[in-house]
Amino acid sequence: MLKIGLTGGIASGKSLVASRLRELGAALVDADVLAREVVEPGTPGLSRVVEAFGPGILDAQGRLDRPKLGAIVFQDPAQREVLNGIVHPLVRQAAAATISGAGPGDIVVQDIPLLVESGQGSNFHLVLVVDAPDDVRIQRMLEFRQMTTEDAVARMASQATRDERNAAADVLLNNSGTREELLATVDALWEQRLVPFAENLSRGVRATRQGVPVLAASTADWSRQGAMLADRIAAAAPQEILAVDHIGSTSVPGLAAKDVIDLQAAVPDLTTADRIAPVLAAAGFPAVPEVTRDTPKSPHLDPSQWQKRFHANADPGRAVNLHVRVAGSPGWRYALLFRDWLRSDPSAAAQYQAHKLELAAADAGDCCTAAYAEAKEPWFTDVAWPLMEEWAQRTGWMPPSYMSSAEGKRGQ
């Protein structure tokens, strides 16, 4: 199933988005509703809340007095952490029980107000964040919830900042306009991205990449997306994957590149890579079985040393290449060294960019064909490789320290 995490600050319009997604066919799991259910009278959750905050937070009927409890936790971050520590695990358990009933091809949306605060982003194929400026949200709370300005500001302060929430988004839904504009955006997202993504997941295939990507100017958002995707992949198989690194052109600040995030997952051996292939597919990264190795480079000319496994994203809205390589292998080392060399040497990055632009121009702007990729190989081997090695020896560059973990897992 396609698992979507939906969040947004108070009065952002998240509930409207959740309602629309349910109308379109999503199975909706509402964390607010579950948070109420897990502290109903007679539940272990309510007993733990009373134990932590005292019987004074109950009303005359023995139910949780939410305004009284809210007055405590929204003014005191430490008390809020205590409450979250009780309620959040119970809500996650209840949500998991609901989700277990979904089947292949279904789209499950979990509406979680504190998704960012509770660090759950890597649990989902996509995180949708509904966003609106702080002043707009305050005005909505005053107008529609009859809150005072002080209460509105306190509620906002108890949540992640707008920047923190937006940084966790795969999809940012702008709700600073009209209701109709937001609903139209949600409808387009559903049709153009969520439904195809769910279909690709159920079939275990990569997304079709529409059109021919051209070299685009570097953007700081590539780094943010690379880190977020790396966390998601690492969380899919935490015992088997040693590390996930952002590699390739989009990992080099200032370098023009195709809008494709290249990631490298380091594993102890290829047996592990094959074992986790179904797990990566379920996480949104199905295998591309026809790609099995990189081009050998001197002095390691044995093709068997350059074997890898290759996966690509099932999400039609974000192109991702995932190279699964054995930690310590020549291909693994090359990818990391190439990235760090380009990051550290502006002249090398400029040379590589000029080469890419020349090849793309010669190919009529088509920088995504096999011919374009093959045309770059001689430069990687004959030009980049000697310069990279010289730079590594001169600077003392060493591969990451998780190599020791790879050796340990090989012995298990």
mmCIF file of all heavy atoms in Angstrom, residues 183-232:
data_model
loop_
_atom_site.group_PDB
_atom_site.id
_atom_site.type_symbol
_atom_site.label_atom_id
_atom_site.label_comp_id
_atom_site.label_asym_id
_atom_site.label_seq_id
_atom_site.Cartn_x
_atom_site.Cartn_y
_atom_site.Cartn_z
ATOM 1 N N LEU A 183 -8.260 22.724 -2.798
ATOM 2 C CA LEU A 183 -8.892 21.480 -3.223
ATOM 3 C C LEU A 183 -8.457 21.086 -4.625
ATOM 4 O O LEU A 183 -8.234 19.900 -4.914
ATOM 5 C CB LEU A 183 -10.412 21.607 -3.150
ATOM 6 C CG LEU A 183 -11.001 21.751 -1.744
ATOM 7 C CD1 LEU A 183 -12.506 21.917 -1.809
ATOM 8 C CD2 LEU A 183 -10.629 20.550 -0.872
ATOM 9 N N ALA A 184 -8.299 22.067 -5.511
ATOM 10 C CA ALA A 184 -7.843 21.776 -6.871
ATOM 11 C C ALA A 184 -6.425 21.222 -6.857
ATOM 12 O O ALA A 184 -6.085 20.310 -7.629
ATOM 13 C CB ALA A 184 -7.913 23.040 -7.731
ATOM 14 N N THR A 185 -5.598 21.748 -5.971
ATOM 15 C CA THR A 185 -4.232 21.245 -5.845
ATOM 16 C C THR A 185 -4.223 19.807 -5.355
ATOM 17 O O THR A 185 -3.457 18.961 -5.853
ATOM 18 C CB THR A 185 -3.427 22.129 -4.877
ATOM 19 O OG1 THR A 185 -3.385 23.468 -5.383
ATOM 20 C CG2 THR A 185 -2.009 21.612 -4.711
ATOM 21 N N VAL A 186 -5.085 19.518 -4.382
ATOM 22 C CA VAL A 186 -5.168 18.150 -3.854
ATOM 23 C C VAL A 186 -5.664 17.192 -4.925
ATOM 24 O O VAL A 186 -5.139 16.077 -5.079
ATOM 25 C CB VAL A 186 -6.083 18.115 -2.618
ATOM 26 C CG1 VAL A 186 -6.295 16.669 -2.146
ATOM 27 C CG2 VAL A 186 -5.499 18.944 -1.494
ATOM 28 N N ASP A 187 -6.656 17.606 -5.695
ATOM 29 C CA ASP A 187 -7.183 16.748 -6.764
ATOM 30 C C ASP A 187 -6.113 16.421 -7.797
ATOM 31 O O ASP A 187 -5.998 15.269 -8.250
ATOM 32 C CB ASP A 187 -8.367 17.435 -7.453
ATOM 33 C CG ASP A 187 -9.595 17.526 -6.560
ATOM 34 O OD1 ASP A 187 -9.586 16.921 -5.471
ATOM 35 O OD2 ASP A 187 -10.553 18.223 -6.940
ATOM 36 N N ALA A 188 -5.334 17.426 -8.171
ATOM 37 C CA ALA A 188 -4.266 17.200 -9.153
ATOM 38 C C ALA A 188 -3.189 16.276 -8.589
ATOM 39 O O ALA A 188 -2.677 15.396 -9.289
ATOM 40 C CB ALA A 188 -3.654 18.537 -9.572
ATOM 41 N N LEU A 189 -2.857 16.463 -7.320
ATOM 42 C CA LEU A 189 -1.869 15.599 -6.671
ATOM 43 C C LEU A 189 -2.347 14.156 -6.668
ATOM 44 O O LEU A 189 -1.567 13.232 -6.956
ATOM 45 C CB LEU A 189 -1.625 16.090 -5.239
ATOM 46 C CG LEU A 189 -0.730 15.214 -4.366
ATOM 47 C CD1 LEU A 189 0.708 15.242 -4.876
ATOM 48 C CD2 LEU A 189 -0.787 15.673 -2.905
ATOM 49 N N TRP A 190 -3.597 13.954 -6.350
ATOM 50 C CA TRP A 190 -4.168 12.611 -6.298
ATOM 51 C C TRP A 190 -4.072 11.931 -7.668
ATOM 52 O O TRP A 190 -3.594 10.792 -7.785
ATOM 53 C CB TRP A 190 -5.624 12.686 -5.851
ATOM 54 C CG TRP A 190 -6.336 11.375 -5.845
ATOM 55 C CD1 TRP A 190 -7.092 10.839 -6.846
ATOM 56 C CD2 TRP A 190 -6.363 10.419 -4.772
ATOM 57 N NE1 TRP A 190 -7.579 9.611 -6.486
ATOM 58 C CE2 TRP A 190 -7.157 9.333 -5.214
ATOM 59 C CE3 TRP A 190 -5.799 10.384 -3.498
ATOM 60 C CZ2 TRP A 190 -7.392 8.219 -4.415
ATOM 61 C CZ3 TRP A 190 -6.037 9.276 -2.690
ATOM 62 C CH2 TRP A 190 -6.824 8.202 -3.156
ATOM 63 N N GLU A 191 -4.496 12.619 -8.686
ATOM 64 C CA GLU A 191 -4.564 12.026 -10.024
ATOM 65 C C GLU A 191 -3.182 11.836 -10.647
ATOM 66 O O GLU A 191 -2.906 10.793 -11.253
ATOM 67 C CB GLU A 191 -5.418 12.908 -10.928
ATOM 68 C CG GLU A 191 -5.552 12.383 -12.356
ATOM 69 C CD GLU A 191 -6.410 13.266 -13.233
ATOM 70 O OE1 GLU A 191 -7.054 14.198 -12.697
ATOM 71 O OE2 GLU A 191 -6.431 13.046 -14.448
ATOM 72 N N GLN A 192 -2.321 12.828 -10.484
ATOM 73 C CA GLN A 192 -1.053 12.819 -11.213
ATOM 74 C C GLN A 192 0.086 12.125 -10.473
ATOM 75 O O GLN A 192 1.060 11.693 -11.103
ATOM 76 C CB GLN A 192 -0.645 14.256 -11.541
ATOM 77 C CG GLN A 192 -1.636 14.978 -12.439
ATOM 78 C CD GLN A 192 -1.358 16.471 -12.551
ATOM 79 O OE1 GLN A 192 -0.260 16.934 -12.215
ATOM 80 N NE2 GLN A 192 -2.334 17.225 -13.012
ATOM 81 N N ARG A 193 -0.026 12.016 -9.146
ATOM 82 C CA ARG A 193 1.099 11.449 -8.394
ATOM 83 C C ARG A 193 0.719 10.295 -7.488
ATOM 84 O O ARG A 193 1.344 9.242 -7.538
ATOM 85 C CB ARG A 193 1.779 12.556 -7.577
ATOM 86 C CG ARG A 193 3.084 12.116 -6.920
ATOM 87 C CD ARG A 193 3.865 13.300 -6.383
ATOM 88 N NE ARG A 193 5.153 12.893 -5.800
ATOM 89 C CZ ARG A 193 6.055 13.743 -5.312
ATOM 90 N NH1 ARG A 193 5.820 15.041 -5.337
ATOM 91 N NH2 ARG A 193 7.187 13.290 -4.816
ATOM 92 N N LEU A 194 -0.311 10.475 -6.659
ATOM 93 C CA LEU A 194 -0.605 9.454 -5.657
ATOM 94 C C LEU A 194 -1.148 8.169 -6.280
ATOM 95 O O LEU A 194 -0.701 7.068 -5.928
ATOM 96 C CB LEU A 194 -1.581 9.993 -4.612
ATOM 97 C CG LEU A 194 -1.121 11.236 -3.844
ATOM 98 C CD1 LEU A 194 -2.089 11.529 -2.697
ATOM 99 C CD2 LEU A 194 0.297 11.083 -3.325
ATOM 100 N N VAL A 195 -2.106 8.286 -7.189
ATOM 101 C CA VAL A 195 -2.664 7.084 -7.809
ATOM 102 C C VAL A 195 -1.609 6.340 -8.639
ATOM 103 O O VAL A 195 -1.456 5.115 -8.498
ATOM 104 C CB VAL A 195 -3.904 7.439 -8.652
ATOM 105 C CG1 VAL A 195 -4.339 6.241 -9.501
ATOM 106 C CG2 VAL A 195 -5.057 7.888 -7.749
ATOM 107 N N PRO A 196 -0.843 7.037 -9.499
ATOM 108 C CA PRO A 196 0.210 6.304 -10.223
ATOM 109 C C PRO A 196 1.258 5.697 -9.297
ATOM 110 O O PRO A 196 1.757 4.593 -9.557
ATOM 111 C CB PRO A 196 0.833 7.384 -11.130
ATOM 112 C CG PRO A 196 -0.219 8.424 -11.277
ATOM 113 C CD PRO A 196 -0.961 8.429 -9.972
ATOM 114 N N PHE A 197 1.605 6.396 -8.232
ATOM 115 C CA PHE A 197 2.583 5.880 -7.269
ATOM 116 C C PHE A 197 2.050 4.591 -6.664
ATOM 117 O O PHE A 197 2.776 3.582 -6.566
ATOM 118 C CB PHE A 197 2.837 6.943 -6.197
ATOM 119 C CG PHE A 197 4.039 6.708 -5.327
ATOM 120 C CD1 PHE A 197 4.476 7.690 -4.453
ATOM 121 C CD2 PHE A 197 4.751 5.509 -5.367
ATOM 122 C CE1 PHE A 197 5.599 7.503 -3.642
ATOM 123 C CE2 PHE A 197 5.875 5.300 -4.560
ATOM 124 C CZ PHE A 197 6.285 6.302 -3.690
ATOM 125 N N ALA A 198 0.804 4.580 -6.232
ATOM 126 C CA ALA A 198 0.210 3.382 -5.631
ATOM 127 C C ALA A 198 0.179 2.222 -6.627
ATOM 128 O O ALA A 198 0.448 1.065 -6.270
ATOM 129 C CB ALA A 198 -1.196 3.691 -5.127
ATOM 130 N N GLU A 199 -0.122 2.517 -7.878
ATOM 131 C CA GLU A 199 -0.151 1.469 -8.903
ATOM 132 C C GLU A 199 1.245 0.896 -9.137
ATOM 133 O O GLU A 199 1.422 -0.318 -9.267
ATOM 134 C CB GLU A 199 -0.727 2.031 -10.204
ATOM 135 C CG GLU A 199 -2.207 2.364 -10.121
ATOM 136 C CD GLU A 199 -2.733 3.016 -11.383
ATOM 137 O OE1 GLU A 199 -1.908 3.382 -12.253
ATOM 138 O OE2 GLU A 199 -3.965 3.175 -11.498
ATOM 139 N N ASN A 200 2.244 1.752 -9.201
ATOM 140 C CA ASN A 200 3.617 1.280 -9.385
ATOM 141 C C ASN A 200 4.059 0.399 -8.213
ATOM 142 O O ASN A 200 4.723 -0.617 -8.407
ATOM 143 C CB ASN A 200 4.567 2.471 -9.527
ATOM 144 C CG ASN A 200 4.375 3.231 -10.819
ATOM 145 O OD1 ASN A 200 3.843 2.707 -11.789
ATOM 146 N ND2 ASN A 200 4.794 4.487 -10.842
ATOM 147 N N LEU A 201 3.692 0.811 -6.995
ATOM 148 C CA LEU A 201 4.042 0.014 -5.821
ATOM 149 C C LEU A 201 3.414 -1.374 -5.884
ATOM 150 O O LEU A 201 4.070 -2.373 -5.606
ATOM 151 C CB LEU A 201 3.565 0.719 -4.555
ATOM 152 C CG LEU A 201 4.491 1.729 -3.889
ATOM 153 C CD1 LEU A 201 3.809 2.312 -2.659
ATOM 154 C CD2 LEU A 201 5.816 1.088 -3.495
ATOM 155 N N SER A 202 2.150 -1.433 -6.234
ATOM 156 C CA SER A 202 1.454 -2.716 -6.254
ATOM 157 C C SER A 202 2.018 -3.632 -7.330
ATOM 158 O O SER A 202 2.004 -4.859 -7.185
ATOM 159 C CB SER A 202 -0.049 -2.508 -6.468
ATOM 160 O OG SER A 202 -0.304 -1.979 -7.760
ATOM 161 N N ARG A 203 2.560 -3.047 -8.408
ATOM 162 C CA ARG A 203 3.144 -3.831 -9.503
ATOM 163 C C ARG A 203 4.632 -4.061 -9.316
ATOM 164 O O ARG A 203 5.241 -4.876 -10.020
ATOM 165 C CB ARG A 203 2.899 -3.123 -10.834
ATOM 166 C CG ARG A 203 1.425 -3.034 -11.237
ATOM 167 C CD ARG A 203 1.253 -2.084 -12.418
ATOM 168 N NE ARG A 203 2.150 -2.447 -13.509
ATOM 169 C CZ ARG A 203 2.664 -1.580 -14.378
ATOM 170 N NH1 ARG A 203 2.397 -0.279 -14.254
ATOM 171 N NH2 ARG A 203 3.453 -1.979 -15.350
ATOM 172 N N GLY A 204 5.243 -3.329 -8.383
ATOM 173 C CA GLY A 204 6.670 -3.474 -8.151
ATOM 174 C C GLY A 204 7.523 -2.953 -9.280
ATOM 175 O O GLY A 204 8.563 -3.545 -9.612
ATOM 176 N N VAL A 205 7.113 -1.826 -9.873
ATOM 177 C CA VAL A 205 7.854 -1.270 -11.007
ATOM 178 C C VAL A 205 8.243 0.175 -10.728
ATOM 179 O O VAL A 205 7.602 0.874 -9.944
ATOM 180 C CB VAL A 205 7.036 -1.335 -12.310
ATOM 181 C CG1 VAL A 205 6.714 -2.784 -12.659
ATOM 182 C CG2 VAL A 205 5.740 -0.521 -12.190
ATOM 183 N N ARG A 206 9.299 0.636 -11.386
ATOM 184 C CA ARG A 206 9.720 2.012 -11.267
ATOM 185 C C ARG A 206 8.761 2.912 -12.021
ATOM 186 O O ARG A 206 8.029 2.464 -12.915
ATOM 187 C CB ARG A 206 11.137 2.192 -11.838
ATOM 188 C CG ARG A 206 11.219 1.948 -13.331
ATOM 189 C CD ARG A 206 12.644 1.995 -13.868
ATOM 190 N NE ARG A 206 13.239 3.300 -13.725
ATOM 191 C CZ ARG A 206 14.472 3.606 -14.110
ATOM 192 N NH1 ARG A 206 15.248 2.674 -14.675
ATOM 193 N NH2 ARG A 206 14.952 4.807 -13.954
ATOM 194 N N ALA A 207 8.758 4.179 -11.672
ATOM 195 C CA ALA A 207 7.912 5.146 -12.360
ATOM 196 C C ALA A 207 8.478 5.439 -13.742
ATOM 197 O O ALA A 207 9.699 5.465 -13.949
ATOM 198 C CB ALA A 207 7.825 6.442 -11.559
ATOM 199 N N THR A 208 7.592 5.664 -14.689
ATOM 200 C CA THR A 208 8.005 6.120 -16.002
ATOM 201 C C THR A 208 8.423 7.577 -15.888
ATOM 202 O O THR A 208 7.676 8.400 -15.350
ATOM 203 C CB THR A 208 6.862 5.990 -17.014
ATOM 204 O OG1 THR A 208 6.468 4.614 -17.097
ATOM 205 C CG2 THR A 208 7.288 6.486 -18.382
ATOM 206 N N ARG A 209 9.599 7.885 -16.344
ATOM 207 C CA ARG A 209 10.075 9.264 -16.267
ATOM 208 C C ARG A 209 9.664 10.005 -17.514
ATOM 209 O O ARG A 209 10.134 9.728 -18.618
ATOM 210 C CB ARG A 209 11.593 9.287 -16.053
ATOM 211 C CG ARG A 209 11.966 8.657 -14.712
ATOM 212 C CD ARG A 209 13.436 8.684 -14.410
ATOM 213 N NE ARG A 209 13.681 8.039 -13.117
ATOM 214 C CZ ARG A 209 14.877 7.819 -12.610
ATOM 215 N NH1 ARG A 209 15.971 8.181 -13.270
ATOM 216 N NH2 ARG A 209 15.007 7.224 -11.431
ATOM 217 N N GLN A 210 8.764 10.950 -17.320
ATOM 218 C CA GLN A 210 8.162 11.658 -18.436
ATOM 219 C C GLN A 210 9.153 12.628 -19.057
ATOM 220 O O GLN A 210 9.853 13.365 -18.374
ATOM 221 C CB GLN A 210 6.920 12.431 -17.959
ATOM 222 C CG GLN A 210 5.844 11.554 -17.339
ATOM 223 C CD GLN A 210 5.258 10.577 -18.323
ATOM 224 O OE1 GLN A 210 5.219 10.827 -19.530
ATOM 225 N NE2 GLN A 210 4.786 9.446 -17.824
ATOM 226 N N GLY A 211 9.191 12.631 -20.381
ATOM 227 C CA GLY A 211 10.027 13.596 -21.077
ATOM 228 C C GLY A 211 11.503 13.282 -20.913
ATOM 229 O O GLY A 211 11.907 12.235 -20.421
ATOM 230 N N VAL A 212 12.312 14.203 -21.337
ATOM 231 C CA VAL A 212 13.755 14.065 -21.263
ATOM 232 C C VAL A 212 14.312 15.153 -20.364
ATOM 233 O O VAL A 212 14.304 16.321 -20.722
ATOM 234 C CB VAL A 212 14.390 14.170 -22.664
ATOM 235 C CG1 VAL A 212 15.899 14.056 -22.579
ATOM 236 C CG2 VAL A 212 13.827 13.091 -23.580
ATOM 237 N N PRO A 213 14.777 14.799 -19.157
ATOM 238 C CA PRO A 213 15.327 15.828 -18.282
ATOM 239 C C PRO A 213 16.543 16.497 -18.907
ATOM 240 O O PRO A 213 17.374 15.847 -19.533
ATOM 241 C CB PRO A 213 15.734 15.050 -17.026
ATOM 242 C CG PRO A 213 14.966 13.772 -17.100
ATOM 243 C CD PRO A 213 14.812 13.476 -18.553
ATOM 244 N N VAL A 214 16.635 17.779 -18.737
ATOM 245 C CA VAL A 214 17.799 18.522 -19.188
ATOM 246 C C VAL A 214 18.585 18.952 -17.962
ATOM 247 O O VAL A 214 18.103 18.888 -16.841
ATOM 248 C CB VAL A 214 17.391 19.752 -20.027
ATOM 249 C CG1 VAL A 214 16.658 19.320 -21.290
ATOM 250 C CG2 VAL A 214 16.509 20.688 -19.214
ATOM 251 N N LEU A 215 19.811 19.400 -18.195
ATOM 252 C CA LEU A 215 20.610 19.877 -17.084
ATOM 253 C C LEU A 215 19.963 21.116 -16.484
ATOM 254 O O LEU A 215 19.653 22.071 -17.192
ATOM 255 C CB LEU A 215 22.026 20.185 -17.554
ATOM 256 C CG LEU A 215 22.841 18.982 -18.061
ATOM 257 C CD1 LEU A 215 24.220 19.449 -18.505
ATOM 258 C CD2 LEU A 215 22.968 17.922 -16.988
ATOM 259 N N ALA A 216 19.767 21.092 -15.190
ATOM 260 C CA ALA A 216 19.119 22.198 -14.487
ATOM 261 C C ALA A 216 20.120 22.853 -13.548
ATOM 262 O O ALA A 216 21.092 22.233 -13.110
ATOM 263 C CB ALA A 216 17.921 21.680 -13.693
ATOM 264 N N ALA A 217 19.867 24.114 -13.234
ATOM 265 C CA ALA A 217 20.730 24.823 -12.290
ATOM 266 C C ALA A 217 20.628 24.175 -10.921
ATOM 267 O O ALA A 217 19.568 23.689 -10.515
ATOM 268 C CB ALA A 217 20.326 26.291 -12.221
ATOM 269 N N SER A 218 21.734 24.169 -10.205
ATOM 270 C CA SER A 218 21.773 23.576 -8.869
ATOM 271 C C SER A 218 20.815 24.291 -7.928
ATOM 272 O O SER A 218 20.622 25.503 -8.006
ATOM 273 C CB SER A 218 23.198 23.662 -8.316
ATOM 274 O OG SER A 218 23.260 23.167 -7.001
ATOM 275 N N THR A 219 20.211 23.509 -7.035
ATOM 276 C CA THR A 219 19.320 24.072 -6.023
ATOM 277 C C THR A 219 19.638 23.465 -4.669
ATOM 278 O O THR A 219 19.970 22.274 -4.568
ATOM 279 C CB THR A 219 17.841 23.796 -6.362
ATOM 280 O OG1 THR A 219 17.024 24.120 -5.236
ATOM 281 C CG2 THR A 219 17.610 22.347 -6.721
ATOM 282 N N ALA A 220 19.539 24.273 -3.636
ATOM 283 C CA ALA A 220 19.802 23.786 -2.283
ATOM 284 C C ALA A 220 18.802 22.714 -1.869
ATOM 285 O O ALA A 220 19.075 21.918 -0.961
ATOM 286 C CB ALA A 220 19.767 24.951 -1.295
ATOM 287 N N ASP A 221 17.650 22.677 -2.520
ATOM 288 C CA ASP A 221 16.637 21.695 -2.139
ATOM 289 C C ASP A 221 17.055 20.275 -2.482
ATOM 290 O O ASP A 221 16.531 19.319 -1.897
ATOM 291 C CB ASP A 221 15.300 22.028 -2.808
ATOM 292 C CG ASP A 221 14.119 21.448 -2.048
ATOM 293 O OD1 ASP A 221 14.089 21.583 -0.809
ATOM 294 O OD2 ASP A 221 13.239 20.846 -2.692
ATOM 295 N N TRP A 222 17.981 20.093 -3.409
ATOM 296 C CA TRP A 222 18.465 18.740 -3.700
ATOM 297 C C TRP A 222 19.099 18.116 -2.463
ATOM 298 O O TRP A 222 18.901 16.943 -2.187
ATOM 299 C CB TRP A 222 19.479 18.780 -4.841
ATOM 300 C CG TRP A 222 18.856 18.924 -6.198
ATOM 301 C CD1 TRP A 222 17.576 18.619 -6.560
ATOM 302 C CD2 TRP A 222 19.503 19.399 -7.379
ATOM 303 N NE1 TRP A 222 17.381 18.874 -7.904
ATOM 304 C CE2 TRP A 222 18.553 19.352 -8.431
ATOM 305 C CE3 TRP A 222 20.784 19.862 -7.665
ATOM 306 C CZ2 TRP A 222 18.855 19.750 -9.732
ATOM 307 C CZ3 TRP A 222 21.086 20.247 -8.961
ATOM 308 C CH2 TRP A 222 20.133 20.201 -9.984
ATOM 309 N N SER A 223 19.854 18.910 -1.724
ATOM 310 C CA SER A 223 20.487 18.392 -0.512
ATOM 311 C C SER A 223 19.447 17.987 0.519
ATOM 312 O O SER A 223 19.558 16.927 1.163
ATOM 313 C CB SER A 223 21.431 19.452 0.068
ATOM 314 O OG SER A 223 21.995 19.012 1.281
ATOM 315 N N ARG A 224 18.417 18.828 0.702
ATOM 316 C CA ARG A 224 17.351 18.515 1.666
ATOM 317 C C ARG A 224 16.638 17.232 1.265
ATOM 318 O O ARG A 224 16.409 16.338 2.091
ATOM 319 C CB ARG A 224 16.358 19.671 1.731
ATOM 320 C CG ARG A 224 15.214 19.440 2.718
ATOM 321 C CD ARG A 224 14.118 20.477 2.556
ATOM 322 N NE ARG A 224 13.387 20.323 1.305
ATOM 323 C CZ ARG A 224 12.356 19.488 1.134
ATOM 324 N NH1 ARG A 224 11.936 18.722 2.124
ATOM 325 N NH2 ARG A 224 11.748 19.413 -0.036
ATOM 326 N N GLN A 225 16.280 17.113 -0.002
ATOM 327 C CA GLN A 225 15.575 15.926 -0.462
ATOM 328 C C GLN A 225 16.451 14.684 -0.359
ATOM 329 O O GLN A 225 15.976 13.605 0.019
ATOM 330 C CB GLN A 225 15.124 16.126 -1.908
ATOM 331 C CG GLN A 225 14.054 17.183 -2.090
ATOM 332 C CD GLN A 225 13.648 17.327 -3.544
ATOM 333 O OE1 GLN A 225 13.380 16.348 -4.230
ATOM 334 N NE2 GLN A 225 13.613 18.556 -4.034
ATOM 335 N N GLY A 226 17.732 14.836 -0.698
ATOM 336 C CA GLY A 226 18.629 13.692 -0.605
ATOM 337 C C GLY A 226 18.717 13.157 0.806
ATOM 338 O O GLY A 226 18.683 11.939 1.028
ATOM 339 N N ALA A 227 18.821 14.055 1.785
ATOM 340 C CA ALA A 227 18.908 13.633 3.185
ATOM 341 C C ALA A 227 17.619 12.957 3.632
ATOM 342 O O ALA A 227 17.643 11.936 4.349
ATOM 343 C CB ALA A 227 19.214 14.835 4.068
ATOM 344 N N MET A 228 16.490 13.493 3.216
ATOM 345 C CA MET A 228 15.201 12.942 3.622
ATOM 346 C C MET A 228 14.992 11.543 3.016
ATOM 347 O O MET A 228 14.559 10.600 3.697
ATOM 348 C CB MET A 228 14.094 13.894 3.179
ATOM 349 C CG MET A 228 12.725 13.594 3.716
ATOM 350 S SD MET A 228 11.632 15.024 3.480
ATOM 351 C CE MET A 228 11.709 15.199 1.696
ATOM 352 N N LEU A 229 15.329 11.403 1.736
ATOM 353 C CA LEU A 229 15.191 10.114 1.076
ATOM 354 C C LEU A 229 16.169 9.093 1.654
ATOM 355 O O LEU A 229 15.837 7.910 1.802
ATOM 356 C CB LEU A 229 15.412 10.284 -0.428
ATOM 357 C CG LEU A 229 14.303 11.027 -1.176
ATOM 358 C CD1 LEU A 229 14.817 11.547 -2.510
ATOM 359 C CD2 LEU A 229 13.101 10.119 -1.380
ATOM 360 N N ALA A 230 17.369 9.543 1.984
ATOM 361 C CA ALA A 230 18.355 8.640 2.578
ATOM 362 C C ALA A 230 17.852 8.091 3.906
ATOM 363 O O ALA A 230 18.006 6.891 4.201
ATOM 364 C CB ALA A 230 19.682 9.370 2.766
ATOM 365 N N ASP A 231 17.244 8.942 4.714
ATOM 366 C CA ASP A 231 16.689 8.486 5.996
ATOM 367 C C ASP A 231 15.591 7.447 5.772
ATOM 368 O O ASP A 231 15.485 6.453 6.510
ATOM 369 C CB ASP A 231 16.125 9.670 6.781
ATOM 370 C CG ASP A 231 17.212 10.561 7.366
ATOM 371 O OD1 ASP A 231 18.370 10.123 7.420
ATOM 372 O OD2 ASP A 231 16.894 11.702 7.753
ATOM 373 N N ARG A 232 14.776 7.662 4.763
ATOM 374 C CA ARG A 232 13.667 6.748 4.470
ATOM 375 C C ARG A 232 14.199 5.379 4.051
ATOM 376 O O ARG A 232 13.680 4.338 4.480
ATOM 377 C CB ARG A 232 12.807 7.364 3.365
ATOM 378 C CG ARG A 232 11.485 6.683 3.109
ATOM 379 C CD ARG A 232 10.621 7.566 2.226
ATOM 380 N NE ARG A 232 10.189 8.760 2.943
ATOM 381 C CZ ARG A 232 9.852 9.917 2.358
ATOM 382 N NH1 ARG A 232 9.907 10.032 1.052
ATOM 383 N NH2 ARG A 232 9.463 10.938 3.073
#
